[in-house]
Amino acid sequence: MMAVLDIALILPLGVGLLAAGLAARLRGHRAAVAGSVAAALGLLVYLLVSIGAGGSVPATPFWAVPSLGIDGGLRLDGLSLLFVLLITGIGALVLLYAGRYLQGDPRLTRLVVLLLVFMVSMLGAVTADDVITLFVFWELTSIASFFLVGYDHEKPAARKAALQALLITGGGGLALLAGLILVAVAAGTTSLSGIIAAREAVLAHPAAVPAMLLVLLGCFTKSAQFPFHFWLPNAMAAPTPVSAYLHSATMVKLGVYLLARLNPVYQTEALWQDLLTGAGLLTAATGALLALRETDLKRVLAHTTVTALGTLVLLIGIAPDLAATAAVTFLLVHALYKAALFLVAGILDHETGTRDASALGGLRGAMPWTAAAAVLAAFSMAGLPPFVGFVAKEIVYEAKLAAGGAAAVVAGIGFLVNAAMVAVAGLLSWRIFFGPQRPTPRVPHDPPKSMLAGPVLLAGLGLLAGAAPGLVGALLLDGAAAAILGRPVDVPLKLWHGFTPVLALSAATIGLGLLILLGWGRLMPRLRGVSAVDRLGPSRGYEHALAGLVAWADGTTRTVQHGSLRGYMRTLLLVAAVAPLAVLVARGGLDLPAGVGLDARAFAFGLIALGAVATAMARSTFAAVMAVGLVGFGTALVFLMHGAPDVALTQFTVEVLLVVILATVLIRLPVQRRDVRVPRQRVGDAAVALVLGGSVAALLLAVLAAPFDPRLGVWFGENSVPGGYGRNVVNVILVDFRALDTLGEIAVLAIAAFAVIALLRGAARPLRPGS
Amino acid sequence: MDPSLILRVSAPLLLWVPMVVSLYLLIRGHNDPGGGFVGGLVASAGLVFYAISRGQEAALRAMRLPPATWCGIGLLAALGSGLLAWLDPAAGFLTHRWWFPDIGFKLPLGTALVFDIGVYLTVVGTVTAMVFALVGEEAR
C-alpha cells in the first residue's frame, strides 16, 4: 500500500515533466493543450491520493540521500492539497488560455515547456516534507520565473525585470537555505514534520533567532513583502498568462506557504508574531496605495496582489484558530478572483489593443462574456455577498478584531486597505465595462472559448463557493488551517453571520470604496504626482545596490587584474613567501635543527650558490636562463649524493628540457633580450627575491627541526618487492601503490597541453615579426 | 636564425640516442632508477632537439601521430591497465596483475608496465605539444 502511495504522490511530477518533454516536440497550440491535459491529470491524481488515503500521505522518493540525513520525503496534507489544487487547476486553465493568447508566436512551445517545468517545481515545493527538497524546488520556481518574466528577451525592460526578480528571490533563497540548515541542525532532522515535532529543540538552539530571521528573509522576498515588494509589479513584463499563474495565484504564495508550514514551530514566539504582523500590515498598505496610482491594468492587479500577500502574512502572524481559517480562506478566494482578473486583463489587452484603465470603458456590449467574468471576479474581490470573497472578508475582519493588543491598528489599516480594494474592483468591472464606450486601438469582441474558459470558470467558482462555504471549509480549508496551527481547528464558514459589528464594518468598507472609485479620476493623478514614491522607494535602493556592485567589481578587476605580468609574479611570489612565514610565526617561531653541518658533499651547494649569484648578475635573459640551469643541476647533484637517484635523474632531465625550451622560446618570441630595469626596479625585485628565499630557507629549517616519522618509508620499502614486484620503490609507488594519483597527474598534464594548444591557436599570429 | 651545420648533421643522432635511452629507462624503471616519467622527458628532449635542428615539420613526421593524440593514447593505456584489475572481481581499480611465463627464466610481466607506458606517452605528448605550440610553426 505504501509503495502505491509513494508512486501516486510522485506521479504528477513525472507526468508534468513528461508532458514538458512531449510539449517540446509539439508546436504551439497543441503543446499548450497537451500541457493543460497533463495539469488536469495531475489534479486528478492528487485528489485520488488524498481521498484514497484520507488526510496526510507520506512518501519516500528515490532522490533521498540517507548518508547526508536527507530523507527527501514528500507528504500530502491539507495545506499541500489546497496549494496542489490551485497549482494544477489554475495551471490547466492558464495553459489552455496561453495556447490561444500567444497563438502564432514561434516561442509558444518554449513558454508551455517552461510553464510545465514551473508547475512541477511548485508541486514539488508544496508537497516536500524535507527542507532540502523544498529548497531545491523553491529555487527551481525562481529560475522558471526568471525565464518566464524574460520571455520577451529582446526588450531591455523584460530582461531587467527578470534579473531583478531572480536577484531578489534568489538572494532571499540563499538566506532561506542558511536558515533551513540551521533549523534542521537544531532539530536533528531535515524532515518538516520532524522539525515541527522537535519545536522545543529548534527554539532552544542558540542560533534560533538568526535562523528564524533568515527563513523570514527568504519567505518575504519570495512573497514580495515590504521592502521587497517592488519586484512583483516589475515582473508584469511577463506575458499575461504567466502573470496570472506565477505572480498572482501560485509562486508568490510560496513564501506564505512556508510561513504557514513553519508556524506550528514559531507561533508562540512574540518576535515571529510581531514581524509577520508588521511586515504584512506595511505590505498591505503599500500595495493598496500604489494600486490606486496606476492605470496599467496589470500593474494595478500586481499591486493588489502585493496587498493580498501582505494580508496573508499578517493573518499567519495573528494565528489563533480564527486567523488560520481566515488565511486559508482568503488564500483560496484571492487565487480564484485574481487569476480570473489577470486573465480578463489579458483578454482586454489582446482584443482591444490597450490595457490602460483610463482608456477603456463601456465594453459590456462588445464583450459580454468577458464582462460577466470580470464582474463576478470583481464582486468576489470587493467582498460582496453572496460571493466567497464576502465570506473571506468577514472572517478576516473577525480575525483582525481578535488580534489582541494591536487589534485597533490592524483592523483600522485593514479597513482602509479593503476600501481601496473595493475601489480597484469597481475600476476593473464598472469603469471598464459600463458607462460610455471609449475608442480602442482594435475593435473589441469576446475572445475564443479557450481563452474565456479560465476567467469564467474561476469567477464562477467564486460564486459557487460562496453559496456553500461550509462545504468548501469542511472539504478543503479545515485541513489546511489545521496544518498552520499544528492541531485541528473548528471554525465553521458561514455566508450569513447575522447583524454583527463586522457586517457594519463591511458595509462601511464598501461605502468608502465606492467613494474612492467615484473620485479616482481626480485622486489618481494626484497620487501619481507624489514623485517621492519613485525617488525614495526601495526599488531605488535596489538600483543603487546593483550599480554599486558593478562599480565594485569594476574596481577590483582593475586593481587585481592590472595586466602587468611582472606585477602578477611579484604578488604570487610574495604570497608564497609570506604565507608559510605567517604559519611559522603563528606556531611559535622558528625551531632550528640541532647539529647542522657541512661535509665534503657541500661543493654541490657551492654550485647552487654560484648559479644564483650569476642569475642575479646576468645582464641578458639568455645568461640568466643558463645560470638558473646551473642552480637546477646543483640541486640534482644534491639529490644524487643523498640517495635519491630517481629524483636526481628526473631533475637533470627537467633541467635540460627547461633550458632547451626557454632558449627556443626566447629565440622565437619578441621579448626583451637585455635587462632594461632601472636601478630602483632591480632593488625592488631583489627585495622580493630575498624575502622569498628567506621564507623557503626558514621553512626547510623548520621541516628539518620537526621529528621525522619513518613509518611510511619503511612500509613502502618492505612491501615494494612482495606487493609490487619491483625493487625501485619510487617507481612502484608511482605506478602501483599510488597509481590513482599518477593517473590524475597525467590527466592534468594532458589537460594543460590541450589548454596551451587552444590558447596559442586562439592567438594565431606570427610569433616572429619579419619572418 | 638557421641551425648550424654541425647541429643539422647530428640531428638524427640527437633524436635516436635519447629515444633508445628513454625506452631503456622506461623498461628498467621498475627495479632501477628510471620509469615512465623520466623516460618520457628524455624522449621529449630528443624530439625537441630534432625540431630545433630539422624543423618542426620533420619532428612531427617522426612522431607519426600528432602530440595531442599521443597524450590521449597514453591516458587510455594508463586507464586501461587499471580496468584490467577487474578480471578479478574482488580487486580494486588499478590493482596491477602479474604473470610469470617461464621462457628459460621467469619473465615478470605486469599491467604496471602498461601503466608506465601510458605515463611515458602522456609526458611525451604533453611536452612536445606545449613546446611546438609555443614555438608556433604549427599555428601558422
Side-chain angles (χ1 to χ4, degrees):
Chain A
M1 185 60 193
M2 231 20 246
V4 177
L5 282 176
D6 268 20
I7 295 165
L9 199 49
I10 302 169
L11 196 65
L13 302 184
V15 170
L17 277 183
L18 210 66
L22 178 71
R25 306 192 147 269
L26 296 174
R27 293 235 154 262
H29 190 59
R30 280 195 197 154
V33 173
S36 181
V37 170
L41 273 179
L43 179 105
L44 207 62
V45 171
Y46 276 124
L47 262 185
L48 289 177
V49 171
S50 175
I51 293 167
S56 171
V57 191
T60 313
F62 55 88
W63 59 72
V65 191
S67 57
L68 293 178
I70 298 168
D71 55 9
L74 297 179
R75 178 182 293 274
L76 190 65
D77 66 356
L79 188 60
S80 302
L81 186 67
L82 175 63
F83 270 89
V84 159
L85 294 182
L86 290 175
I87 295 161
T88 49
I90 298 181
L93 294 172
V94 162
L95 277 159
L96 200 63
Y97 178 96
R100 188 61 70 176
Y101 184 80
L102 289 164
Q103 198 170 27
D105 187 324
R107 295 165 303 167
L108 175 58
T109 305
R110 198 177 73 194
L111 182 88
V112 170
V113 172
L114 281 171
L115 280 174
L116 284 168
V117 168
F118 167 77
M119 187 179 83
V120 170
S121 317
M122 269 310 282
L123 289 175
V126 299
T127 52
D129 184 43
D130 172 277
V131 289
I132 303 298
T133 310
L134 180 128
F135 173 77
V136 170
F137 282 120
W138 174 293
E139 290 295 85
L140 276 175
T141 65
S142 287
I143 293 168
S145 156
F146 170 73
F147 284 113
L148 286 166
V149 173
Y151 180 73
D152 287 321
H153 56 83
E154 67 277 16
K155 289 185 190 149
R159 292 201 301 270
K160 201 175 150 209
L163 190 65
Q164 189 179 58
L166 183 70
L167 284 179
I168 290 177
T169 57
L174 286 180
L176 176 70
L177 178 63
L180 288 178
I181 289 174
L182 282 175
V183 170
V185 167
T189 170
T190 61
S191 146
L192 270 170
S193 33
I195 287 170
I196 292 168
R199 63 178 296 268
E200 271 90 19
V202 174
L203 293 178
H205 196 267
V209 172
M212 186 184 91
L213 292 178
L214 287 167
V215 170
L216 281 180
L217 196 59
C219 293
F220 282 3
T221 49
K222 192 77 168 178
S223 279
Q225 297 298 296
F226 187 87
F228 307 108
H229 61 280
F230 57 90
W231 74 261
L232 186 55
N234 291 341
M236 294 301 122
T240 306
V242 173
S243 306
Y245 191 30
L246 272 72
H247 303 121
S248 79
T250 55
M251 188 185 89
V252 287
K253 296 211 173 82
L254 204 48
V256 174
Y257 166 80
L258 187 58
L259 291 176
R261 248 308 156 231
L262 291 175
N263 190 56
V265 177
Y266 291 115
Q267 56 185 338
T268 52
E269 297 293 289
L271 183 61
W272 172 267
Q273 295 170 357
D274 292 349
L275 282 175
L276 258 57
T277 312
L281 212 53
L282 206 55
T283 309
T286 312
L289 258 179
L290 294 179
L292 286 176
R293 67 194 286 272
E294 295 284 354
T295 57
D296 180 333
L297 282 177
K298 280 182 74 179
R299 286 186 73 87
V300 172
L301 286 171
H303 284 301
T304 62
T305 306
V306 170
T307 301
L309 293 170
T311 308
L312 285 169
V313 169
L314 163 73
L315 287 172
I316 294 171
I318 305 175
D321 295 23
L322 208 54
T325 306
V328 290
T329 313
F330 184 58
L331 186 111
L332 173 70
V333 170
H334 174 258
L336 292 178
Y337 77 67
K338 190 54 64 67
L341 286 175
F342 259 110
L343 295 178
V344 165
I347 292 175
L348 288 172
D349 193 8
H350 201 257
E351 307 299 341
T352 68
T354 177
R355 51 171 206 248
D356 186 339
S358 55
L360 293 166
L363 292 169
R364 169 183 41 128
M367 336 173 62
W369 281 101
T370 314
V375 169
L376 289 181
F379 277 14
S380 196
M381 177 177 178
L384 292 177
F387 291 86
V388 71
F390 175 72
V391 180
K393 195 176 62 175
E394 296 283 289
I395 192 168
V396 168
Y397 267 143
E398 275 184 56
K400 284 177 178 168
L401 286 173
V409 181
V410 172
I413 295 181
F415 170 70
L416 294 175
V417 165
N418 276 343
M421 290 305 103
V422 171
V424 171
L427 182 71
L428 295 170
S429 53
W430 187 262
R431 244 188 95 93
I432 291 177
F433 290 99
F434 295 86
Q437 184 163 2
R438 282 166 233 235
T440 49
R442 277 182 225 149
V443 181
H445 56 81
D446 261 335
K449 286 196 195 74
S450 52
M451 273 175 81
L452 268 179
V456 169
L457 205 60
L458 291 170
L461 275 177
L463 183 58
L464 275 182
L471 192 62
V472 178
L475 285 182
L476 202 54
L477 300 177
D478 285 352
I484 297 185
L485 295 172
R487 59 187 156 76
V489 284
D490 184 28
V491 181
L493 286 177
K494 281 181 289 197
L495 186 60
W496 182 246
H497 281 73
F499 292 98
T500 57
V502 170
L503 189 68
L505 204 53
S506 279
T509 311
I510 293 166
L512 182 62
L514 290 177
L515 276 180
I516 300 176
L517 177 63
L518 288 176
W520 184 71
R522 267 166 303 165
L523 181 66
M524 190 272 293
R526 281 224 189 127
L527 281 174
R528 281 187 92 75
V530 186
S531 63
V533 178
D534 298 315
R535 273 189 294 114
L536 301 175
S539 142
R540 295 289 299 196
Y542 166 84
E543 310 249 321
H544 281 306
L546 205 61
L549 185 71
V550 172
W552 183 62
D554 209 34
T556 27
T557 308
R558 248 175 316 186
T559 358
V560 178
Q561 306 203 334
H562 41 68
S564 155
L565 271 181
R566 205 173 278 207
Y568 291 155
M569 286 301 289
R570 202 178 298 128
T571 311
L572 283 174
L573 295 179
L574 278 178
V575 170
V578 171
L581 276 185
V583 174
L584 275 182
V585 171
R587 292 180 54 142
L590 183 59
D591 276 336
L592 284 175
V596 177
L598 295 175
D599 58 21
R601 294 174 290 188
F603 80 92
F605 291 105
L607 203 61
I608 295 175
L610 192 68
V613 171
T615 311
M617 305 289 287
R619 284 280 160 177
S620 92
T621 325
F622 263 120
V625 168
M626 298 298 160
V628 168
L630 205 58
V631 174
F633 287 116
T635 314
L637 270 181
V638 173
F639 287 143
L640 191 61
M641 289 183 298
H642 288 78
D646 251 294
V647 187
L649 188 59
T650 310
Q651 177 79 25
F652 274 124
T653 326
V654 167
E655 284 306 326
V656 170
L657 257 177
L658 208 62
V659 170
V660 170
I661 291 172
L662 280 176
T664 321
V665 170
L666 281 178
I667 292 171
R668 308 284 180 125
L669 289 183
V671 291
Q672 286 290 346
R673 303 254 170 87
R674 305 214 66 78
D675 189 349
V676 291
R677 290 172 298 173
V678 298
R680 204 164 53 84
Q681 283 174 317
R682 290 177 69 92
V683 170
D685 290 353
V688 173
L690 283 176
V691 170
L692 182 64
S695 166
V696 172
L699 196 65
L700 288 178
L701 286 174
V703 168
L704 285 178
F708 180 65
D709 181 355
R711 273 180 300 171
L712 214 54
V714 169
W715 188 90
F716 279 126
E718 281 170 358
N719 286 279
S720 177
V721 173
Y725 303 105
R727 288 191 305 277
N728 180 355
V729 183
V730 175
N731 191 256
V732 172
I733 292 174
L734 282 178
V735 301
D736 201 334
F737 292 141
R738 310 298 303 264
L740 191 62
D741 291 358
T742 312
L743 187 63
E745 281 156 22
I746 59 175
V748 170
L749 269 187
I751 292 166
F754 293 140
V756 167
I757 293 173
L759 278 174
L760 291 174
R761 282 254 171 87
R765 57 195 149 81
L767 290 173
R768 189 166 45 168
S771 68
Chain B
M1 198 184 290
D2 281 333
S4 72
L5 180 68
I6 300 173
L7 196 57
R8 261 182 292 158
V9 171
S10 59
L13 214 61
L14 282 175
L15 176 62
W16 293 113
V17 172
M19 277 296 158
V20 173
V21 172
S22 75
L23 289 176
Y24 172 66
L25 283 173
L26 167 67
I27 302 294
R28 82 198 280 260
H30 213 58
N31 289 318
D32 301 292
F37 191 75
V38 186
L41 286 178
V42 171
S44 315
L47 284 162
V48 172
F49 274 136
Y50 195 65
I52 291 173
S53 51
R54 286 283 175 92
Q56 219 176 85
E57 283 298 314
L60 283 172
R61 265 200 308 279
M63 287 180 77
R64 298 290 186 279
L65 292 173
T69 311
W70 284 117
C71 267
I73 294 173
L75 276 181
L76 283 179
L79 196 69
S81 79
L83 292 178
L84 276 180
W86 279 317
L87 288 177
D88 172 6
F93 178 57
L94 281 169
T95 306
H96 290 302
R97 301 184 64 79
W98 289 86
W99 296 271
F100 298 93
D102 203 339
I103 48 164
F105 63 99
K106 289 215 164 161
L107 178 71
L109 280 181
T111 51
L113 182 63
V114 181
F115 186 87
D116 226 6
I117 292 172
V119 174
Y120 175 95
L121 293 179
T122 311
V123 169
V124 172
T126 303
V127 174
T128 49
M130 284 183 175
V131 173
F132 291 173
L134 268 174
V135 175
E137 277 174 40
E138 197 183 41
R140 267 182 246 171

